[in-house]
Amino acid sequence: MLNWVIAGLSAAAAVWVGWMLDWPWIFDMHDPEFNPMIMFEGLLIGVAAWHIVKALRWRARSRAFGVTNIKISGRTPAPLGGELSGVLHLGRPVAPTADWTLKLTCLDIHETHDTRDAPPSPYRRDAYPVWSTTITLPAGIDTARGLPFRFQLPDSVGPKPVQPMERKSAHFRFTASLNIPGFRRIVTHNAPPVARSWRLLVTAPTSGPNFRVEFVVPVED
């Protein structure tokens, strides 16, 4: 639904910008009549097209697989050092061409801002994976009873999340990210995260659209 909303807003903005531009459009940047707004128009069209594609993919998966529900067993939220287990109930039968993959990931959420901006940009929240584990289930498993899963959780994934207003230390704390072209972004910090999220991603290849569903699962911080 969100993809359709973003696509609609981007398309409406593209129509408005296109109406504001004088016709004919000039794409030659060296032409004195060139209007830089045409580049913004292209960006809006690109954003709208991208989210339309994502929405159509989601619609195809929804029609093919229905709604998948998750049922957590045992203590909720699951304690660190314990187990996270449960069953996934599929909305419709799925015939995967290879094994099911279930990946559990812990994401620490840190507040960062870009000091290169003038003035500096407001704080934003970025998520960084700090722990993950993967299990597989055979493609021939009987999905009529659901997909069972069981993960052994780590004893710790780092300091507990602390909201910024609760940090009373007078010491300097920071969060910084290192970006090297061609490599994954690395985060370094001496402050605890402001939040934490545990995500369960379930995927399987099929002869049609690939099965893919993600859940936020309850785990104690």
Side-chain angles (χ1 to χ4, degrees):
M1 182 63 181
L2 180 60
N3 288 319
W4 287 117
V5 172
I6 296 176
L9 293 175
S10 299
V15 170
W16 180 79
V17 172
W19 179 72
M20 294 293 292
L21 291 172
D22 291 332
W23 186 262
W25 293 354
I26 299 175
F27 297 93
D28 184 1
M29 298 180 62
H30 301 287
D31 192 302
E33 299 296 327
F34 173 76
N35 189 338
M37 285 293 289
I38 201 171
M39 300 175 66
F40 184 53
E41 173 76 358
L43 176 62
L44 290 172
I45 294 174
V47 170
W50 171 247
H51 282 279
I52 288 174
V53 170
K54 291 182 66 177
L56 291 175
R57 286 179 178 175
W58 177 86
R59 186 177 180 182
R61 290 195 183 102
S62 179
R63 286 185 172 182
F65 309 122
V67 178
T68 300
N69 296 311
I70 185 171
K71 182 178 180 181
I72 304 296
S73 304
R75 180 178 167 184
T76 305
L80 288 176
E83 289 186 341
L84 173 69
S85 60
V87 179
L88 293 166
H89 295 286
L90 307 181
R92 295 177 183 174
V94 179
T97 56
D99 290 347
W100 297 85
T101 300
L102 293 81
K103 183 177 182 180
L104 179 65
T105 303
C106 176
L107 299 168
D108 273 3
I109 301 171
H110 289 271
E111 284 192 343
T112 61
H113 74 287
D114 194 342
T115 57
R116 294 173 300 179
D117 294 343
S121 61
Y123 281 94
R124 67 181 185 188
R125 292 193 171 190
D126 294 319
Y128 302 91
V130 294
W131 181 89
S132 69
T133 186
T134 301
I135 62 175
T136 59
L137 297 175
I141 189 173
D142 182 10
T143 59
R145 297 183 178 180
L147 295 174
F149 61 87
R150 185 181 301 273
F151 294 96
Q152 178 62 44
L153 298 175
D155 294 330
S156 175
V157 290
K160 292 185 177 182
V162 178
Q163 288 296 323
M165 65 285 296
E166 298 176 3
R167 298 175 181 171
K168 299 180 181 179
S169 172
H171 298 287
F172 175 72
R173 293 177 177 269
F174 69 92
T175 298
S177 62
L178 176 62
N179 297 278
I180 302 176
F183 291 86
R184 182 173 147 188
R185 182 170 57 176
I186 301 172
V187 63
T188 177
H189 54 83
N190 70 344
V194 297
R196 180 168 288 150
S197 178
W198 293 78
R199 307 288 181 90
L200 175 58
L201 176 64
V202 183
T203 57
T206 74
S207 57
N210 291 336
F211 181 91
R212 178 187 174 91
V213 65
E214 187 175 29
F215 296 94
V216 176
V217 293
V219 177
E220 286 184 350
D221 291 330

